[in-house]
Amino acid sequence: MFFFENIRLAIASLKSNKMRAILTMLGIIIGISAVITITTLGNSLKKTLSNSFNKIGGQTFDVEYRFKYDENQDEDGVTMYRPMTEEDYISDEMLNELEALYPGRYLVSRSVGLGNGKAKNKKGDKLNVDISGVTEGYMKADTLSKILKGRTINDDDDNGKKHAIVVSDVFVKQYFGYDDANAVGSDINIDIEGLCDSDFTIVGVYKYPKIYEKYQQSTSNFMDRDTPVMIPYSTAKKIAHSLTDDGRDWYMTFVLNDMSVDRDQAISDIKDFFSEKYRKNKYWGIEIYDPQNELGIVNKVLNIVTLVISIIAAISLLVGGIGVMNIMLVSITERTREIGVRKALGAKKRNIKTQFIVEAIILCLIGGIIGVLLGIFNGYLIGYVAKYALGQMPEYQDFVALSVQPSLNAILLSLGFSMLIGVFFGSYPAGKAAKLDPIEALRYE
Amino acid sequence: MKTIISMHGIIKRFYIGMPNELEILHGLNFKIHDGEFASIVGPSGSGKSTLMNIIGALDRPTEGIYMLNGIDVAQLNDSELSAIRNKEIGFVFQNFNLVSRTNAIENVELPMLYAGIGRRERRKRAEKLLDMVEMSDRATHNPNELSGGQKQRIAIARALANSPSIILADEPTGALDSVTGHMVMDIFHKLHKEEHKTIVLITHSKELANETDRIITLKDGRIVSDTRKAGGESVLL
């Protein structure tokens, strides 16, 4: 019952001394706004990095070969190194086995380059294209190239060795002369010197990333630009059967296709699979490299920065709290007579105590709220500046997913903490007020 | 007739056990009945204020028995004293003692707030009381916007809030000019005659005391005379 009455009283009392209240709150405002600013920045940076990472790398893991040094040392500790041979590489059979073991869960990114070819259109233009045979995994891993229309190359195309092709939006403009909405479904003729000369059906059009354009625009005119086109991996293999060396990669990239699977689970699945396969290999094994591990270091640094700022903020809050206590003591001295009157009218000790603690809490809470708003404002201001800076570099816009996100936990914690300061630093003055002798308080001038 | 205040052998000492121990009241005996309008007079230093604090349950006597409306006040703890002040006593002070930054009607509501009366009922009763002291049109004014006489009328309304057993008025006209002082006294007379309120007026002014039915005169901590006007009975001690 006294609750709202006390809040109303507290606000009325603070209002009558606005300047004093604001000055008292300043320590708390500075402390809380510092915490909120830094946590908003930290949170936003983490979010931006992780979003950007997903944009570039997707949910991928790289598997790389590692020489087993420990098992290849002689008595003198000299390593007996042996370069990789054909049987040390991950074979197509292993990859097929892995995909079959976890159907639909993990995809292997595989590609084979067929080099340059020509695409001939109705006007007789011969357009340069850079042809690769790719798997569904490869296309999923390449998150930079967004599909605008149609779809990616998929397992069906691959298994059926179909003549499907995914081309860039740049290619569509070059080939059809305009941005043809009906490009998907059209057949185009691809001629690769000595290997093939046949029709492919466009199944998808992807957006050619701006970052690639940056390196091409200056070197060639529009019609001369060649953009990558993708056909199914198996189709390319069939075309390229005469090529002896299809190039071995040091890395093999795996894509997490089923997003419901935990990332750590995926890493351990793939690690276990290859550990088993390479158990008998004396010289070489495999290692999984998770690109998101890099984020761990950034997070660690951010956590340290947050901690340091928090300590500074804590000192500011302590000073602010002492200020609150001081001003409450002053306020109680000023209102001694009022306290006497209230007691004469029947206020009990706890009524008086509650009244002044609530006043201290309200004082701190208002300071906390202003601090939180200021902190969020700072966060968005910095985000706005960053967005402007990014706007000056359009080619990076494909990579960086800027996101300003105040940390809700930090906000709630800050508000809770500022109320706690009110309780802590308001208790002593409130207790003092409650203990006043009504006769002396009434006589106080 | 029902006894509201019964004082028996009331002694009040200060600085007990110290070299400067001081006895202010030396064993007072008197009773005040329901519906009486009594005044306690005496020069400064006579113990008026100390007696008023005891009557008002702001302080406990060192010795003696003080029964207020049947309750032994000396035996009560701090919180119970607060409750007694809240329900049994209506204070009217010389300097009004309205709570600042709190408007007239909220001041009148204060004792009811501490009595735990609900918001709507508080407001209703406060409006009625303000109407009685003819201050309804100033209900939302803050004390600093009111004249002395207006403030005192608000204070009287506040004193009546919880329908106390007695109204304890300490020099209620002391800070007012004679015209407004008379207006305030008229309210007390009205309360006494029409509402049959028990009123104890503490004053050093003989003139003011003569308006009341009974005059208890204090001197050096003792009652030197207790005169009743109505019955023409005069008891000299």
Side-chain angles (χ1 to χ4, degrees), chain A residues 61-317:
Chain A
F61 324 94
D62 288 340
V63 168
E64 64 182 57
Y65 303 99
R66 174 148 303 178
F67 189 69
K68 294 177 175 172
Y69 285 97
D70 295 345
E71 295 167 34
N72 289 287
Q73 286 180 347
D74 63 12
E75 302 86 59
D76 303 326
V78 177
T79 305
M80 309 299 283
Y81 183 77
R82 198 193 71 157
M84 284 183 85
T85 59
E86 187 59 33
E87 72 252 28
D88 295 326
Y89 283 103
I90 293 169
S91 65
D92 279 352
E93 288 73 34
M94 283 186 210
L95 297 177
N96 291 338
E97 196 184 325
L98 176 71
E99 283 185 332
L101 192 61
Y102 302 105
R105 201 193 278 187
Y106 309 122
L107 295 173
V108 186
S109 164
R110 274 183 278 187
S111 67
V112 53
L114 289 180
N116 276 316
K118 301 262 183 233
K120 214 171 6 175
N121 69 3
K122 282 173 192 132
K123 280 193 274 176
D125 296 326
K126 281 188 172 172
L127 299 161
N128 280 323
V129 283
D130 180 12
I131 306 152
S132 308
V134 301
T135 57
E136 188 175 349
Y138 177 93
M139 299 207 74
K140 284 243 162 105
D142 180 15
T143 47
L144 267 187
S145 311
K146 282 200 193 65
I147 292 290
L148 293 175
K149 290 189 200 85
R151 56 170 176 83
T152 63
I153 298 289
N154 61 22
D155 277 348
D156 254 12
D157 300 327
D158 202 35
N159 294 337
K161 298 186 174 62
K162 287 181 184 159
H163 276 208
I165 191 163
V166 173
V167 299
S168 74
D169 55 342
V170 174
F171 176 85
V172 170
K173 268 185 215 157
Q174 290 168 330
Y175 190 88
F176 296 101
Y178 52 94
D179 198 359
D180 192 345
N182 300 318
V184 173
S186 307
D187 284 349
I188 56 172
N189 178 268
I190 299 279
D191 178 13
I192 309 170
E193 188 84 43
L195 287 177
C196 88
D197 182 4
S198 50
D199 283 354
F200 286 80
T201 308
I202 297 176
V203 295
V205 178
Y206 71 89
K207 171 105 185 71
Y208 189 64
K210 275 208 182 75
I211 188 76
Y212 298 159
E213 260 173 37
K214 194 187 174 190
Y215 300 104
Q216 289 208 328
Q217 259 162 352
S218 56
T219 57
S220 53
N221 73 48
F222 185 71
M223 290 306 280
D224 287 341
R225 285 164 59 186
D226 58 341
T227 57
V229 297
M230 273 80 78
I231 63 173
Y233 181 72
S234 303
T235 314
K237 277 276 202 172
K238 201 176 90 187
I239 292 167
H241 66 94
S242 56
L243 293 173
T244 45
D245 181 23
D246 57 354
R248 292 289 196 175
D249 271 333
W250 183 251
Y251 296 105
M252 189 63 83
T253 300
F254 292 83
V255 183
L256 186 57
N257 192 40
D258 180 357
M259 287 304 179
S260 65
V261 180
D262 180 57
R263 208 178 155 81
D264 293 332
Q265 177 65 43
I267 289 172
S268 106
D269 281 351
I270 295 169
K271 196 176 243 167
D272 288 350
F273 178 82
F274 285 108
S275 294
E276 176 59 28
K277 291 287 171 208
Y278 278 83
R279 202 159 44 84
K280 291 198 197 88
N281 193 316
K282 191 175 178 304
Y283 301 101
W284 289 87
I286 66 103
E287 193 74 27
I288 291 203
Y289 168 73
D290 180 1
Q292 293 216 352
N293 278 346
E294 305 292 329
L295 286 181
I297 297 163
V298 176
N299 283 349
K300 255 180 218 156
V301 173
L302 274 178
N303 286 343
I304 291 168
V305 172
T306 306
L307 188 72
V308 170
I309 299 279
S310 299
I311 289 169
I312 296 169
I315 294 168
S316 165
L317 288 177

